[in-house]
Amino acid sequence: MHIGLVGLGKMGNNMRARLRDSGIEVTGYDANPAVSDVASLAELASTLPAPRIVWVMVPAGDITAGVIEELSKELSEGDLVIDGGNSKFTSDFANEKLLGGKGIKYVDAGVSGGVWGKDNGYGLMVGGSAENVAMAQPVFDALRPEGPREEGFVHAGDTGAGHYAKMVHNGIEYAIMQAYGEGYELLEARSDLIKDVTGTFKAWQRGTVVRSWLLELMVLALEADPKLAEISGYVEDSGEGRWTLEEAINHAVPMPAISASIFARFVSRQGEGSPTMKAVAALRNQFGGHAVKKA
């Protein structure tokens, strides 16, 4: 199998490597010629066998829309475009309409795994017709973690469902990180009693009901900087949490935990000394390579 991959940043470059390791031929295009296999999207399209599959892994919004519009001019009827970025699910409807007008198929894919995905695999949530998803199933199977397919991959529904599922996933992620951060601050506040904060988090990794991969990443961050002295408590948000809240309001679904976690990030930008938000910033850096501000 031979596919095209547009966008070779932190995620895309690792995905290209994992696919190649699984025996899938990948031709990658990036605006940075130092990492790109071809010089243009037109050249990318010309290298792929028909029917062509092109995975788009660029920043959501105008950049993704621009790439898909250009691909609509370079690809042909029967080809398939997959948007694997963190796009808002409503953009999938516009993408499908644009491509579908030329007979080009479309699938949206929510991707979780961050900078660790190359070795661990990526959790995948996809939306689109059964026929379109089946066309790319070998690609999804190469990217997902080892083990039962249903534990790392879901065909969540029709177009938009993949990004919708990823949006909710990220909203939940916000709340979990906030809880770990608040727990860290309280443990630090009782340093007269708790003498090993890092060890306490580490001891929760097996057997406890709060164990998770995010907990493991919290331990890695604390082992590198137990007091998180090198990191600011300034925490960005990348959009999915806000979209989750928008949907919650639209459907009258109460989300006190997720909403509080997002508002806490807003507060963090008004002052950078919060131990809780230092922990949240450290977690974002651990799983996604997101930039942090130095203290």
Side-chain angles (χ1 to χ4, degrees), residues 227-240:
K227 297 293 184 181
L228 301 180
E230 300 297 318
I231 192 171
S232 162
Y234 183 103
V235 182
E236 288 285 2
D237 67 285
S238 53
E240 294 92 335

Side-chain angles (χ1 to χ4, degrees), residues 7-42:
L8 300 170
K10 287 179 293 188
M11 289 278 284
N13 194 46
N14 281 347
M15 291 171 71
R16 176 173 62 174
R18 184 173 178 87
L19 287 167
R20 286 175 173 173
D21 288 345
S22 299
I24 292 178
E25 187 174 355
V26 181
T27 298
Y29 169 73
D30 193 273
N32 177 7
V35 299
S36 191
D37 299 319
V38 291
S40 67
L41 287 176

Side-chain angles (χ1 to χ4, degrees), residues 35-79:
V35 299
S36 191
D37 299 319
V38 291
S40 67
L41 287 176
E43 185 180 350
L44 173 70
S46 71
T47 66
L48 300 176
R52 293 170 286 195
I53 297 176
V54 179
W55 187 300
V56 178
M57 203 69 191
V58 298
D62 291 342
I63 296 177
T64 294
V67 169
I68 289 178
E69 183 175 5
E70 189 170 348
L71 285 172
S72 73
K73 301 171 184 176
E74 300 294 344
L75 299 180
S76 305
E77 184 175 354
D79 293 342

Side-chain angles (χ1 to χ4, degrees), residues 142-185:
L143 288 172
R144 68 174 175 80
E146 295 182 7
R149 178 186 287 171
E150 63 271 17
E151 293 182 5
F153 168 87
V154 63
H155 179 192
D158 296 333
T159 300
H163 282 143
Y164 196 97
K166 178 58 163 43
M167 174 191 74
V168 175
H169 165 281
N170 281 25
I172 293 169
E173 176 188 289
Y174 278 45
I176 295 173
M177 289 194 290
Q178 186 68 24
Y180 284 142
E182 291 172 6
Y184 167 76
E185 181 167 357

Side-chain angles (χ1 to χ4, degrees), residues 86-134:
N86 281 330
S87 297
K88 191 172 184 178
F89 72 96
T90 50
S91 67
D92 296 316
F93 309 140
N95 292 340
E96 183 178 54
K97 182 177 180 181
L98 172 66
L99 295 169
K102 300 189 177 184
I104 302 169
K105 303 174 181 181
Y106 181 75
V107 166
D108 60 286
V111 181
S112 182
V115 295
W116 301 78
K118 177 180 177 293
D119 297 323
N120 297 345
Y122 300 89
L124 301 172
M125 299 140 269
V126 306
S129 72
E131 175 190 359
N132 293 352
V133 171

Side-chain angles (χ1 to χ4, degrees), residues 202-279:
K202 195 167 187 175
W204 293 345
Q205 288 182 279
R206 295 181 184 274
T208 77
V209 297
V210 299
R211 65 189 184 275
S212 71
W213 184 42
L214 280 173
L215 178 62
E216 294 174 22
L217 296 177
M218 184 73 180
V219 171
L220 289 178
L222 291 174
E223 287 179 335
D225 183 6
K227 297 293 184 181
L228 301 180
E230 300 297 318
I231 192 171
S232 162
Y234 183 103
V235 182
E236 288 285 2
D237 67 285
S238 53
E240 294 92 335
R242 299 187 190 205
W243 303 337
T244 304
L245 282 190
E246 289 173 5
E247 280 293 290
I249 292 168
N250 290 340
H251 296 280
V253 175
M255 286 190 166
I258 293 175
S259 62
S261 70
I262 294 171
F263 293 144
R265 294 191 182 197
F266 297 165
V267 172
S268 80
R269 298 165 205 170
Q270 299 173 339
E272 303 174 14
S274 165
T276 293
M277 301 317 294
K278 284 174 177 277

